[in-house]
Every structure is written in structure tokens, then in C-alpha cells.
Amino acid sequence: MSSPSSDQSDPTAPSMTTTTTAAEYYPSPSSSYDSSPSSSYGGLPASVQLLATEQQQQAAIAAVAAAAAASSGATEGLMLDGVSMTPVTAANVAAAASAAATGASNGVDGALLMDGEEVRIGGIGLVNFDSTRVDEICASLGPGVILTNQVQFSLIDTRPLYGMAEVCRRHGLKLLTYGTLCGGFLSDKWLGVPEPNRYHEEPTLRDPLTPSQKKYLDIILSAWGTWSLFQQLLSVLRAIGDRHQGASIANVATRWVLDHDDFVGAVILGARLGVSDNTDDNLKVCGWRLTKEDQASIAAVLAKSNGKELIRTIGDCGAEYR
């Protein structure tokens, strides 16, 4: 996948079945989102070796390549359908997009030449691309080429609701969301626990905070709200879980994200090497859905937070990595 950042996102995991969304609680404020394609991107490098040569398609690919370059400035981090890692350049992104676009238009996998060998491309997934660039890329290539965008989305970080969701619905792609449990903070482990010290080597818990947890704790306390409000959210999630056969707080938090299935395709639940304690619990997120009462209870707490302001204070999806 191509990414506008060389930073590593949360670990991947198998996708999960989704159910109906309750979007009425979080309407996308389209009036504040400019979905018109940008004209700030450059042209296609001459070094690209394309198997498809249609002039219109090449023009579309140029937008993809330049958008990737404009987003990142990075030159590494691409894997194509299991093929070994290859430098990410505007040329490589363009070639992959060309092959995928060819396949989408013909109903088959596209092909490109990489290091003299033919590689089959069935589709492309993005990582941490913002709403404007995803919109431009999808508008340029047409439907069926860009399949997913991997971004952060949780009860704490609701930025995808403001712009990205609209783009996904417009172009028919789905989000693969990470950070759904905020490094584990959205779990029963943190209910009723005093606020940890995010700057001390040994926080006020039995286990030190991981780098991931420090990142999410900073978002909770510096951008989203307070530890007291976060405890209110955990209490509401615990009560909802009790109404659903004792589902865990993590289950409810994950279910909330999955219920936005008009633009969410799957969640990515991270795991640490050698730690498998949560595997069985994660499977319990399937087979049920949040009720309108559940959604309303959650919305009442989120309305007290600064969640809707993160799109401005942090920036659009992936802005923290650029």
C-alpha cells in the first residue's frame, strides 16, 4: 500500500463483518468541506513504464502520482500484492494506479512491469491520505481502482465523520480503521483508574505506558477533553456492554466504529508480540449491533467533548503524520 508517511500505523488484523450505521447522530458537515479537486499537483515523471497508454488514463495517473508525492515527500514503503518492498516514488504509484485502472475498466486484474517482471494489480489501498487528496485521486481514476484508505477512527478521534465519510460514500471506497481502542484505553482495564502520568517513566498503573498509549493519552487529555469526561465515556460503554450480554468496553467501542458501515469496511485491532489475551474477546464484537438508545447514550457524552474540533486542532485524517 502507498502511504503519505513513512511512520508505521497500528498492526493489521482480520476484517470483521459490519452492520447498520447510526449516522444521524454525527451528520457530516459538508458545508465546511471543500470537495472540489485541487489543481496544485504536478505532472507525471518520464520514467514511468505503463502497459496502458490511453492519453486520458495517463492524465488521471499523473494526478495520483503527484498527489502521493505532495502528501509525503517520502521514498519508501510500498508493497504490491505480496511483492517485496519497493521504493515509493511518484513513478511507482503511477504505474500501480495505471495497472489497477486498466483492470477495473476491463473487469480483470491490471498489469505493470516492475524490474522487468509483470506484476498483477487488482486494486489499490491508501494509508493516511486526507479527504481532499482521496477525492481527487478517485475522481481522476474512476470507480473500482482505489478500494480502501487506512485512517485513525474511534470514539475519541471522529475526524473521518467530517469529510472523509462523504468522500468514501461518493466514490464507493471503504476505510480500514486503526486506533479504534486508542492503544487499549477504551477498555475495562482503565475504568475507575486514576489519570496516569503521561510524562513519567512509571505511570500510576502496574504497567508502564507504551509509546502508542502515550500518543493516545495525549490526544484524550490535550485535544479531546479531560480524564474525568473520559471516565464518563467508559462508564457509559460499560453500561451498554451490560445490556448486550456482558460485552466488554472494547467490544462496544469497536462496534460503534463498525456500525458506520456505509464507509467503514473493517477495523484493525493491534496486538503486541506474544500477547494474545484479547483474541477471544475481540471476536465477541460480531453478531449484534448498538441500539438507538445505545447510540444516544454515547452521543450525549461525546457532545461534551472537543471531538468535533479535532478536524481543526489536529487536521484532517493523517495530518499528524505529515
Side-chain angles (χ1 to χ4, degrees), residues 2 10 21 32 58 66 90 97 106-107 129 135 149 160 172 182 202 207 209 243 269 275 283 302 322:
S2 58
D10 291 6
T21 181
S32 62
Q58 289 191 31
N106 296 332
F129 276 71
D135 189 40
N149 187 25
C182 291
E202 295 292 333
D207 300 318
L209 293 180
R243 295 199 293 266
L269 299 179
V275 179
L283 295 176
L302 297 188
R322 284 190 284 276

Side-chain angles (χ1 to χ4, degrees), residues 15-21 174-175 254-255 257-267 285-289:
S15 61
M16 297 183 178
T17 304
T18 64
T19 58
T20 306
T21 181
K174 296 285 188 176
L175 297 182
T254 303
R255 189 70 258 165
V257 172
L258 287 173
D259 279 358
H260 293 84
D261 67 335
D262 55 333
F263 63 92
V264 172
V267 296
V285 75
C286 301
W288 59 283
R289 56 182 292 178

Side-chain angles (χ1 to χ4, degrees), residues 172-255:
L173 71 151
K174 296 285 188 176
L175 297 182
L176 306 180
T177 70
Y178 64 88
T180 300
L181 300 181
C182 291
F185 277 109
L186 287 168
S187 67
D188 288 279
K189 176 181 178 178
W190 292 93
L191 178 61
V193 173
E195 179 180 329
N197 187 334
R198 49 185 156 164
Y199 303 113
H200 197 271
E201 288 298 324
E202 295 292 333
T204 54
L205 260 193
R206 54 188 176 276
D207 300 318
L209 293 180
T210 66
S212 175
Q213 287 174 327
K214 290 179 180 179
K215 163 194 164 182
Y216 290 114
L217 181 60
D218 190 56
I219 293 175
I220 293 170
L221 299 180
S222 299
W224 181 81
T226 64
W227 188 252
S228 175
L229 182 60
F230 182 69
Q231 286 296 312
Q232 291 182 41
L233 177 60
L234 293 183
S235 296
V236 167
L237 299 182
R238 180 64 270 151
I240 292 173
D242 291 340
R243 295 199 293 266
H244 293 276
Q245 300 180 337
S248 68
I249 288 177
N251 292 158
V252 179
T254 303
R255 189 70 258 165

Side-chain angles (χ1 to χ4, degrees), residues 43-51 58 61 65 87-96 98 112-116:
L44 184 67
S47 59
V48 177
Q49 184 177 15
L50 302 177
L51 295 186
Q58 289 191 31
I61 302 310
V88 169
T89 63
N92 283 336
V93 174
S98 174
L112 63 89
L113 294 180
M114 182 171 290
D115 296 329

Side-chain angles (χ1 to χ4, degrees), residues 4-26:
S5 167
S6 58
D7 290 290
Q8 293 295 315
S9 56
D10 291 6
T12 58
S15 61
M16 297 183 178
T17 304
T18 64
T19 58
T20 306
T21 181
E24 61 269 21
Y25 292 106
Y26 298 93

